[in-house]
Amino acid sequence: MLRRLSADDARFKEIVFHGGLNLLLADKTDTSASTDSRNSAGKSSMVELVHFLLGARGDTRSPFTKRALKQITFGLDLDWPGLPEALHVSRSGARPAFVTLQPDVTAPAPDSLFDFERQGPVEIPIEQWNHLIEHRLFGLGGDHPGVSGRTLLSYLARRVSAHGFNEAGRTFSRQAAADATTNLAYLLGLDWQLADGYRQLAARDATRKQLRKAVNDPVWGQIVGSTAELRGQIALAEAQVQRLQAQVAAFQVVPEYEHLKDQADELSRRVKQLSQDDIIEQSNLEELQQAVTETADVDTQYLQPVYQELGIVLSDQVRRRFQEVEAFHHSIVRNRRRYLDEEINDLTARLAERRTERARLGEQQAQLLRQLAEGGALEALTSLQQALAREQASLGALRHRYDAAQTLEASSRQITAKRIELQQAVDTDLDERAQQTSEATLLFSRFAQALYGPREAFLAIQAGRESLTITPRIDSDDSRGIGNMVIFCFDLTLAVLAHRHGRGPDFLIHDSHLYDGVDDRQLKAALQLAADVTREENMQYIVTLNTDDLAKATRQGFDAVPYILDTVLTDEPTGGLFGFRY
């Protein structure tokens, strides 16, 4: 139960609560003018403050982070499981990301399962505080996707600022039906995890629709692609990855790899040089062979007949001299031929030697290349592994794109089939949980009949197409007042069932807006019902009311005196909850 609302500002109207029904009144004063309004007295602000101290967001939209209230530290005393004294939680708009707890209830004492040792205050992040609330006040353990302690609290303390009184099944106007019913299923003791399947399907369908819109964008089309194209790309990428994996697995690091590589390079240069030398000397050989062919003795036999025809008779001395010259010429020719033959033989021998050396070097080079082909250097292995990593990353990206493309191309029929399957599963579960649904329906019917007599009133719980539907119904007209009393009976049912079965705390809070347009008799009946039920269930119901609305109930015979809180808010500038207007 909630025990006390306080602040470190003396102007604040401290509120002390008790068990059962609590009436926080807002009154008019004798000096009130016709323009004064109790709407600014702080009735709704009290509910907002409870939420703020129980982990609501402290962003710029929160009134407690505004300049007028930012420096005030507010406090709430409440009962805490396993704690003999009240837990005091404080929070300020100056440090909205943290709350201070006194005592430290973040961990139990080592020698006790539940009891906590009294110790100094501890400051914890708001996320941790919300986790503690979910675990200790609502019994949520482990992961619980779709169920939030903040949402559960919003059913037990609806806020006007969030339009929480517009509809019984929702705590704010834009709340998705699947989100709302998952939390309602938890409070009612139904299979909330099964109900959360609707939320997951809705998220999947929303993603599909967004991607479907994006497919018309050429840039997005390239980023995502089609499943047909991506299948082919994935097949090629997988083959490349497998090839590189096989190379890495078969790779052997060769010792002195670089030395062997240098030797192979040197042999290659040597073979190339020999080939270049062969070209030059082969050309020289051909020239020498041509020169041998062209080298011959000069024919001189034609000279004598010529001289005779001319009538010239050569003397013996001349003929002898001519023979000497002829013999000398023959000697020169023979010497030239011998020289050319020797050169040819030398070139031929060198060419033969180079052929032999090339063959030998070629064999050495082949042996070195075989050694290099069988393995490599450590640097080569590293490069190969890096290439494999790049291909694997590329393959992973393709698979992610393929998953996105599959989501994009998933037909609505597939999602519809999943919805039908889920709907059947929820139907089956509801049949198996007939005890829980009957308990909730009977309790709601009891509360509604306490207000309106023997009318048909029940909870319609069924597996819908888009979500589990939980609809409270009272056979009546659709007036605003009756609609508000449907919310009253529904919230009281949720609070009682959650408290009975350890799925929620023992308090329920309503703002005076819930009773706008409610008939005097139903107002009296609702307050009396709240007093009786909270007494029977050992719970607490806190409601804010204007004094003239309470007067309507008292004229119908409701005794409000035992339930009125000492703190009374007024419409004076200093009479509101905070002691000033901002």
Side-chain angles (χ1 to χ4, degrees):
M1 296 185 187
L2 308 184
R3 295 301 179 184
R4 183 172 65 103
L5 267 178
S6 59
D8 61 0
D9 189 317
R11 296 171 293 180
F12 183 80
K13 304 297 186 296
E14 183 175 286
I15 304 174
V16 177
F17 303 105
H18 50 72
L21 175 61
N22 292 252
L23 298 176
L24 177 63
L25 301 180
D27 195 9
K28 288 183 178 180
T29 61
D30 296 335
T31 58
S32 298
S34 59
T35 55
D36 291 333
S37 170
R38 283 169 291 183
N39 290 336
S40 59
K43 301 188 300 297
S44 299
S45 295
M46 185 275 293
V47 182
E48 293 287 348
L49 182 55
V50 170
H51 271 282
F52 180 70
L53 290 165
L54 292 180
R57 289 185 304 178
D59 54 18
T60 54
R61 290 173 292 180
S62 171
F64 306 103
T65 60
K66 305 300 182 184
R67 179 180 297 179
L69 302 176
K70 186 174 183 179
Q71 300 305 322
I72 301 176
T73 299
F74 298 97
L76 172 65
D77 293 351
L78 72 158
D79 294 339
W80 191 257
L83 195 65
E85 301 176 7
L87 171 67
H88 180 75
V89 53
S90 59
R91 187 183 183 191
S92 73
R95 287 176 56 81
F98 299 91
V99 296
T100 300
L101 304 180
Q102 171 69 25
D104 181 4
V105 294
T106 57
D111 59 346
S112 174
L113 183 62
F114 296 109
D115 292 338
F116 294 85
E117 292 183 356
R118 188 75 181 177
Q119 49 186 293
V122 59
E123 185 178 66
I124 62 172
I126 198 68
E127 294 81 7
Q128 186 179 357
W129 175 227
N130 277 317
H131 177 73
L132 284 171
I133 290 173
E134 289 177 343
H135 178 56
R136 301 309 305 276
L137 295 188
F138 290 99
L140 287 166
D143 294 332
H144 40 82
V147 176
S148 161
R150 291 296 318 140
T151 302
L152 297 176
L153 276 171
S154 295
Y155 281 106
L156 302 180
R158 293 178 185 261
R159 292 187 287 180
V160 175
S161 61
H163 308 286
F165 294 102
N166 290 0
E167 186 179 344
R170 288 182 169 90
T171 60
F172 58 92
S173 56
R174 295 185 179 181
Q175 187 177 21
D179 291 338
T181 53
T182 300
N183 288 273
L184 287 175
Y186 180 78
L187 291 173
L188 292 173
L190 306 179
D191 190 340
W192 62 270
Q193 292 174 315
L194 197 57
D196 188 54
Y198 286 105
R199 183 186 62 85
Q200 296 175 11
L201 268 181
R204 177 181 170 186
D205 193 32
T207 301
R208 184 188 65 82
K209 289 177 181 178
Q210 291 298 323
L211 290 174
R212 178 70 66 184
K213 292 179 182 178
V215 77
N216 297 324
D217 188 329
V219 176
W220 269 103
Q222 294 177 2
I223 293 174
V224 178
S226 67
T227 54
E229 294 175 351
L230 289 169
R231 283 193 194 99
Q233 295 176 13
I234 288 174
L236 294 175
E238 286 176 341
Q240 175 69 358
V241 167
Q242 292 173 359
R243 184 181 66 82
L244 289 173
Q245 286 175 335
Q247 291 181 1
V248 170
F251 194 93
Q252 296 179 356
V253 178
V254 176
E256 300 183 354
Y257 178 89
E258 294 299 329
H259 178 65
L260 293 177
K261 181 175 177 299
D262 291 341
Q263 286 183 335
D265 291 342
E266 179 61 31
L267 288 176
S268 179
R269 287 193 295 270
R270 179 62 180 154
V271 170
K272 183 178 180 182
Q273 184 62 47
L274 289 175
S275 298
Q276 291 176 349
D277 292 344
D278 276 358
I279 292 173
I280 295 173
E281 295 203 345
Q282 184 65 40
S283 177
N284 291 339
L285 178 61
E286 291 174 357
E287 291 178 357
L288 289 174
Q289 289 174 340
Q290 182 66 29
V292 169
T293 302
E294 294 174 354
T295 301
D297 291 336
V298 179
D299 186 9
T300 59
Q301 297 299 321
Y302 71 92
L303 289 176
Q304 288 184 359
V306 171
Y307 275 97
Q308 289 176 357
E309 291 176 1
L310 291 175
I312 301 174
V313 179
L314 297 176
S315 64
D316 293 337
Q317 184 178 1
V318 172
R319 285 197 298 272
R320 188 172 55 254
R321 184 61 178 168
F322 181 80
Q323 291 173 351
E324 292 176 354
V325 171
E326 184 180 18
F328 177 74
H329 178 73
H330 286 312
S331 174
I332 290 175
V333 170
R334 285 194 303 274
N335 290 337
R336 177 173 176 76
R337 282 180 175 172
R338 186 169 57 252
Y339 171 77
L340 291 175
D341 289 339
E342 291 175 353
E343 287 296 318
I344 289 172
N345 291 335
D346 289 343
L347 287 174
T348 302
R350 287 199 296 273
L351 288 171
E353 289 176 359
R354 289 196 186 95
R355 282 195 297 273
T356 301
E357 186 175 5
R358 272 201 311 275
R360 179 179 59 80
L361 293 178
E363 183 155 349
Q364 291 181 5
Q365 187 181 41
Q367 183 179 0
L368 289 174
L369 291 177
R370 281 195 300 272
Q371 293 179 355
L372 293 173
E374 291 173 355
L378 182 60
E379 293 82 358
L381 176 60
T382 303
S383 298
L384 196 60
Q385 290 171 332
Q386 290 174 347
L388 175 60
R390 287 194 298 269
E391 292 297 331
Q392 287 174 329
S394 177
L395 176 59
L398 285 173
R399 285 172 174 164
H400 283 304
R401 289 176 59 194
Y402 180 77
D403 292 340
Q406 276 192 319
T407 302
L408 173 63
E409 296 177 8
S411 67
S412 60
R413 290 191 301 272
Q414 291 174 315
I415 295 179
T416 300
K418 287 289 185 182
R419 283 202 176 103
I420 294 173
E421 180 183 342
L422 179 60
Q423 187 174 358
Q424 292 173 342
V426 173
D427 264 331
T428 302
D429 181 71
L430 290 176
D431 290 338
E432 294 174 352
R433 295 175 186 264
Q435 181 178 351
Q436 288 89 338
T437 57
S438 295
E439 182 183 14
T441 297
L442 293 175
L443 198 60
F444 176 80
S445 178
R446 170 196 161 190
F447 297 159
Q449 290 181 7
L451 271 61
Y452 293 101
R455 295 189 184 186
E456 185 179 51
F458 59 92
L459 292 180
I461 304 175
Q462 62 180 353
R465 182 177 179 276
E466 301 292 337
S467 70
L468 171 68
T469 62
I470 303 172
T471 308
R473 292 178 180 173
I474 298 177
D475 183 20
S476 62
D477 57 36
D478 294 329
S479 68
R480 178 184 177 186
I482 293 180
N484 286 352
M485 288 300 94
V486 169
I487 295 176
F488 168 79
C489 294
F490 184 62
D491 289 356
L492 191 58
T493 301
L494 294 176
V496 169
L497 289 176
H499 175 57
R500 278 182 184 178
H501 301 287
R503 293 188 297 268
D506 53 2
F507 60 82
L508 175 66
I509 305 174
H510 278 151
D511 185 86
S512 61
H513 289 80
L514 179 67
Y515 295 95
D516 290 346
V518 176
D519 184 83
D520 297 359
R521 292 167 295 177
Q522 276 69 54
L523 175 58
K524 178 260 181 182
L527 295 179
Q528 188 62 59
L529 177 64
D532 295 340
V533 170
T534 52
R535 182 176 59 256
E536 294 169 5
E537 302 289 340
N538 192 27
M539 294 180 62
Q540 180 184 56
Y541 179 58
I542 301 172
V543 60
T544 64
L545 281 177
N546 292 328
T547 52
D548 48 1
D549 287 331
L550 180 61
K552 299 175 184 178
T554 56
R555 285 196 296 268
Q556 294 293 327
F558 176 66
D559 182 11
V561 174
Y563 312 113
I564 297 175
L565 299 179
D566 293 337
T567 301
V568 177
L569 308 178
T570 70
D571 56 359
E572 291 181 325
T574 60
L577 179 66
F578 302 107
F580 63 94
R581 292 185 179 178
Y582 60 94

